[in-house]
Amino acid sequence: MLDHIGIQAEDVTASARFYDAVLAPLGARRWLEFEGGQVISFGTEAPGNFWVSPVPEELRGTSGRENHLAFTAPDRAAVDAFHAAALAVGAESLHAPRLWPEYHASYYGAFVRDPDGNNVEAVCHLPSPS
């Protein structure tokens, strides 16, 4: 998992549903909620290291903000499960799970688009089990 990162969502509820689904196969869950569930932390242990909060009113409806989030997966099966979970909640697949040798020989990742247009990846850096 990342140390921490925060993104802003137009619809925090929709984003929370998305991240509940796709982070579960990676062993992560919700840890904290503030401001009536509008600021939420997710992670593998408290207090969580990934935060979703609302887009400030003055920035609502603006475009051009794509964040890239790469979450560590414990194995390749978790990358596959992440991708399947994302598709099950209606996410767009950017890249199905596969090896990315241009990054390194064991880089196995999948990329999806979350409800706010962010590019979200699950990646396993371990070699394939023999």
Side-chain angles (χ1 to χ4, degrees), residues 23-56:
L23 294 179
L26 305 179
R29 67 176 181 85
R30 283 189 206 196
W31 283 97
L32 300 172
E33 293 186 35
F34 298 100
E35 299 178 25
Q38 290 300 296
V39 176
I40 302 169
S41 76
F42 297 86
T44 55
E45 58 185 52
N49 40 19
F50 170 63
W51 295 79
V52 177
S53 62
V55 173

Side-chain angles (χ1 to χ4, degrees), residues 1 3 8 12 21-22 25 32 36 49 55 62 105-106 121 123-124:
M1 198 69 163
D3 177 65
Q8 297 172 341
V12 172
V22 303
L32 300 172
N49 40 19
V55 173
T62 62
S106 298
E121 171 188 6
V123 59
C124 175

